[in-house]
């Protein structure tokens, strides 16, 4: 049984949330430009763009791939430049590449968005409160679903299949296969848990759609500076 995830949905939620939080200078630091990382990034751009349209604000996003899944001095230096030039939050997406963003953020009080799991316990070791949220894959929900069906004798529902899992419930967030961590996200008056739940429900109901296309960059009204690969 093979599982893939709708990373574009998780990225969208993170981009929308951070823009609603009032942040206008954002960054996306991808590892290698593989499909999952691209979907996270393009979803992030789409979410920030949607929130900017609602708010009537201008948002700038610096966007590039490190060309590797680990941080190093060159990438850290680039991140230091971003933060010193006004970038407020960086979505670091790709293995250990987050270390470069975290090292740079720690020097200036910058913020970060984690990926795949709730990374706040790891990233916040660089500075307390550094992690604003994380664009997560719902690994717990995935395992629970599969084991429940297997114990019930229904493994045939999954055997031999490749499933692409994402948002499935606007009522019970624990059932979703992507999302933001409710407990550790820095909610505020401009984007509350109720606002997040309403957005998830709108996405489940099809009222808000996110493109998974990675063959073309998302069309946006916000400024996105695509820097390509650093290596």
């Amino acid at each position: 049984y093979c599982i893939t995830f709708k990373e574009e949905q998780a990225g969208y939620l993170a981009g929308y949330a951070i823009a609603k939080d009032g942040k206008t200078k954002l960054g996306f630091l991808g590892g290698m430009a593989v499909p999952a990382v691209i979907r996270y990034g393009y979803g992030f751009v789409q979410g920030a763009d949607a929130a900017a349209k609602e708010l009537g604000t201008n948002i700038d996003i610096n966007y590039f791939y490190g060309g590797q899944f680990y941080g190093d001095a060159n990438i850290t230096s680039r991140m230091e430049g971003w933060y010193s030039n006004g970038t407020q939050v960086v979505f670091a997406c790709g293995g250990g590449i987050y270390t470069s963003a975290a090292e740079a953020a720690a020097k200036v009080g910058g913020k970060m968005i984690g990926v795949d799991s709730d990374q706040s316990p790891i990233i916040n070791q660089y500075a307390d409160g550094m992690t604003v949220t994380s664009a997560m894959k719902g690994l717990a929900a995935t395992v629970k679903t599969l084991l429940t069906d297997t114990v019930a004798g229904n493994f045939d529902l999954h055997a031999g299949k490749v499933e692409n899992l994402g948002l499935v419930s606007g009522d019970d967030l624990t059932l979703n296969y992507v999302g933001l961590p409710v407990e550790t996200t820095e909610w505020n008056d401009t984007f509350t848990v109720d606002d997040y739940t309403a957005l998830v429900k709108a996405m489940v109901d099809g009222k808000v759609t996110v493109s998974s296309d990675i063959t073309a960059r998302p069309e946006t009204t916000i400024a996105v500076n695509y820097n390509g690969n650093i290596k």
Side-chain angles (χ1 to χ4, degrees):
Y1 174 51
C2 181
I3 304 163
T4 61
F5 293 90
K6 296 181 180 179
E7 291 94 356
E8 69 278 1
Q9 292 184 339
Y12 184 98
L13 291 168
Y16 187 94
I18 203 65
K20 280 288 189 175
D21 186 35
K23 303 297 189 295
T24 59
K25 300 253 180 217
L26 312 178
F28 176 80
L29 169 63
M32 298 180 72
V34 297
V37 173
I38 299 173
R39 284 192 292 270
Y40 268 128
Y42 285 4
F44 182 69
V45 168
Q46 291 175 71
D49 185 61
K53 289 177 181 175
E54 293 179 12
L55 295 170
T57 58
N58 295 318
I59 290 178
D60 296 319
I61 300 179
N62 280 321
Y63 189 116
F64 84 78
Y65 304 103
Q68 61 193 37
F69 287 121
Y70 57 91
D72 65 18
N74 289 333
I75 298 173
T76 299
S77 177
R78 179 69 68 91
M79 292 297 100
E80 289 174 350
W82 280 14
Y83 281 114
S84 65
N85 287 327
T87 296
Q88 298 160 295
V89 182
V90 171
F91 179 19
C93 176
I97 203 167
Y98 76 89
T99 59
S100 280
E103 289 168 3
K107 296 180 180 180
V108 295
K111 297 288 188 175
M112 285 185 58
I113 296 170
V115 73
D116 286 343
S117 62
D118 180 0
Q119 285 195 304
S120 59
I122 300 171
I123 294 175
N124 286 354
Q125 291 180 29
Y126 289 84
D128 188 47
M130 182 181 289
T131 313
V132 179
T133 190
S134 295
M136 303 191 309
K137 296 172 181 174
L139 302 180
T142 306
V143 172
K144 183 176 181 180
T145 296
L146 186 62
L147 291 182
T148 299
D149 284 347
T150 301
V151 169
N154 295 322
F155 182 69
D156 286 346
L157 295 173
H158 308 282
K161 294 182 179 180
V162 177
E163 291 189 307
N164 186 228
L165 304 179
L167 297 173
V168 295
S169 176
D171 300 312
D172 186 349
L173 299 178
T174 66
L175 299 178
N176 290 315
Y177 302 108
V178 297
L180 306 181
V182 173
E183 295 79 9
T184 59
T185 294
E186 291 186 0
W187 309 107
N188 52 55
D189 292 341
T190 58
F191 193 67
T192 66
V193 176
D194 288 341
D195 293 331
Y196 168 64
T197 303
L199 176 59
V200 169
K201 184 171 179 56
M203 292 171 71
V204 172
D205 292 343
K207 296 177 182 178
V208 173
T209 59
V210 186
S211 173
S212 62
D213 182 19
I214 61 173
T215 63
R217 295 169 178 170
E219 294 186 7
T220 62
T221 58
I222 62 175
V224 184
N225 180 26
Y226 291 98
N227 297 275
N229 293 310
I230 193 172
K231 289 187 177 181

